[in-house]
Amino acid sequence: MDFALTQEQRMVYEYGDRVSQRFDHKYWKAYAEKSEPPAELYKQITDDGFLGIMVPEAYGGAGQGMTEMLLFMEGLANNGIPLLNLVVGPTMTMGLLAKHASETMKRRLLPGGCSGDIKFCFAITEPNAGSNSMEITTIAKPDGKGGFRMTGQKVFITDANRADYAMVITRTTPRSDVKKKTDGFTIFMVDMKKKGISMTLIPVAFPVPETQWQVFFDDVPLTEDDVLGEVDKGFGILFDTLNPERIILSGMCTGIGRFALKKAVAYANDRKVFNKTPIGAYQGVQHPLAMARSEIEMASLMALKAAWAFDQGQPAGEFANIAKYAGAEAGIHAVDAAIQTHGGNGFTKEYGIYDLYGLVRLLRTAPLNREMVLNYIAEHVMGLPRSY
């Protein structure tokens, strides 16, 4: 067992420290409060070759894996720069394209994705399906001319308004017409400029640069060239994007947790209330911070294990789900402990701690809620009977 990062992995991880010397948390926060993408930061990341971490070099990428993508996210979040768009674009969409797209589709989409000229979003969640993706009703029906017509709607689609292409999970055979509930799924790469696509903004209650959208597809024309993988067999490759999503979000949570704890420690070492003693000397302050740090590092290790298993082509579902659960809980506990350490200052704009709580709290609920994660662990890992 070797827990050491390679030199290249260490460089990826430390990139967050380097780039945050120019683009810090206050920079990120300014864009978050405007719900606008931090354009200069994304340009720097793109120029430095980090959008295509999971894309082979032949298509303009770095030829690395899930482990490096996780380390990249963690390195940024450690410095208070969590970027949800890196989840839906470079990780979920470009990672899946690199593994499963046809050569033609790779050549068409991946170089532009790596250069930042093509932006992606990922669309699976629906208003009436939620966590039960088996019941999605968005459907692409054959048009009798070798193509398809897609109709339906998706919800909570990150940065749909800025995407050039959406990776859309649909049915091409209705649920009622298949024997296995996992049959009949097809993944399409949909040009968001096509006729029949509209969207409405979903305002969220906490500051982030990314925006959330409900997207409507009304008889949108598609072709065989838009299919990722095979028609009716999309479910077989779907978890090659859902497991990475859970892994990288765990890294986002642990990074945010480290950032919050770092601020809490600095404050606790400086703040004096009684007898000119820093409040950090009191165990009532120390212990919650130490517990949170322990949880953060345990979650981080599980995320690395999940990423390693994914990169090795081994089953990663168990580790990815545990990492997502552990990361979200650890992130919440860390931010909460940091708020408490700051006292009243923890709720002010000046100290910027409370602003992080909404994001880590979201990740207990989305993209897969804690209860469904625990259901997976109970049923598929521990062998308990299915309850739903």
Side-chain angles (χ1 to χ4, degrees):
M1 298 174 68
D2 185 355
F3 288 93
L5 300 179
T6 66
Q7 182 179 0
E8 192 167 36
Q9 289 169 340
R10 175 60 60 183
M11 290 174 62
V12 170
Y13 186 61
E14 292 175 349
Y15 177 76
D17 289 321
R18 296 199 304 275
V19 78
S20 66
Q21 293 174 17
R22 180 178 178 189
F23 307 101
D24 60 9
H25 176 70
K26 290 183 179 179
Y27 166 87
W28 174 89
K29 185 180 173 183
Y31 278 96
E33 290 179 342
K34 296 185 293 183
S35 297
E36 294 180 3
E40 300 90 352
L41 173 57
Y42 270 108
K43 183 179 186 306
Q44 186 68 60
I45 288 172
T46 303
D47 291 346
D48 293 341
F50 280 81
L51 284 187
I53 285 179
M54 298 181 70
V55 174
E57 294 179 11
Y59 308 102
Q64 302 299 309
M66 187 65 236
T67 302
E68 289 75 20
M69 195 70 215
L70 168 65
L71 292 169
F72 175 40
M73 174 63 82
E74 241 186 14
L76 290 172
N78 285 346
N79 294 277
I81 308 174
L83 297 176
L84 281 171
N85 192 272
L86 292 180
V87 179
V88 297
T91 306
M92 299 180 72
T93 302
M94 291 166 65
L96 196 68
L97 285 169
K99 289 187 72 171
H100 296 288
S102 66
E103 184 64 22
T104 299
M105 183 176 283
K106 289 177 183 177
R107 295 287 178 190
R108 177 161 57 98
L109 297 178
L110 287 177
C114 293
S115 66
D117 295 324
I118 297 177
K119 297 178 177 61
F120 300 99
C121 66
F122 182 87
I124 184 170
T125 305
E126 297 187 3
N128 297 320
S131 298
N132 189 4
S133 298
M134 299 301 104
E135 298 300 326
I136 67 173
T137 57
T138 296
I139 190 162
K141 296 180 179 180
D143 63 4
K145 303 175 184 178
F148 304 86
R149 292 279 177 166
M150 185 172 68
T151 299
Q153 59 182 302
K154 300 291 183 179
V155 69
F156 294 115
I157 309 306
T158 301
D159 280 352
N161 64 319
R162 302 180 185 116
D164 299 295
Y165 285 86
M167 181 176 285
V168 184
I169 315 302
T170 73
R171 282 196 173 276
T172 35
T173 301
R175 173 77 169 86
S176 57
D177 294 347
V178 295
K179 293 182 179 180
K180 290 178 60 179
K181 62 184 178 181
T182 56
D183 290 343
F185 285 91
T186 303
I187 302 174
F188 287 92
M189 293 304 302
V190 180
D191 185 338
M192 294 295 280
K193 296 186 296 294
K194 283 183 177 291
K195 183 179 179 181
I197 299 175
S198 61
M199 62 189 74
T200 57
L201 178 68
I202 304 172
V204 297
F206 55 88
V208 280
E210 298 82 8
T211 50
Q212 300 296 319
W213 297 82
Q214 186 160 1
V215 182
F216 302 90
F217 302 100
D218 182 12
D219 204 33
V220 177
L222 300 169
T223 71
E224 286 277 359
D225 291 338
D226 299 319
V227 175
L228 174 60
E230 298 181 56
V231 174
D232 275 352
K233 296 181 180 179
F235 195 84
I237 62 175
L238 185 57
F239 281 91
D240 272 353
T241 195
L242 297 183
N243 282 329
E245 176 186 45
R246 291 162 198 177
I247 294 167
I248 197 169
L249 287 175
S250 180
M252 178 182 287
C253 287
T254 55
I256 293 172
R258 288 194 189 98
F259 177 74
L261 292 176
K262 182 168 59 177
K263 297 192 76 169
V265 167
Y267 186 85
N269 279 325
D270 181 67
R271 175 71 165 161
K272 299 179 180 69
V273 180
F274 300 105
N275 302 320
K276 297 182 179 180
T277 301
I279 63 172
Y282 305 140
Q283 291 179 341
V285 174
Q286 288 182 355
H287 287 182
L289 297 177
M291 291 168 63
R293 176 58 183 264
S294 299
E295 292 178 2
I296 288 291
E297 297 310 322
M298 288 187 287
S300 182
L301 278 175
M302 182 53 72
L304 279 169
K305 183 174 183 178
W308 174 85
F310 183 86
D311 287 339
Q312 298 299 312
Q314 298 182 11
E318 172 184 350
F319 308 135
N321 278 278
I322 292 175
K324 198 272 183 182
Y325 167 78
E329 297 303 305
I332 290 170
H333 295 162
V335 174
D336 186 69
I339 291 170
Q340 192 70 7
T341 299
H342 281 77
N345 285 328
F347 299 87
T348 65
K349 287 286 187 181
E350 178 185 355
Y351 285 84
I353 297 293
Y354 192 79
D355 288 342
L356 296 168
Y357 184 78
L359 181 55
V360 290
R361 181 57 185 84
L362 166 70
L363 297 176
R364 178 189 277 174
T365 302
L368 184 66
N369 63 61
R370 176 179 62 179
E371 291 70 25
M372 289 303 295
V373 169
L374 294 174
N375 283 340
Y376 179 95
I377 295 167
E379 180 185 351
H380 297 284
V381 179
M382 303 176 69
L384 292 167
R386 187 180 180 89
S387 63
Y388 57 97

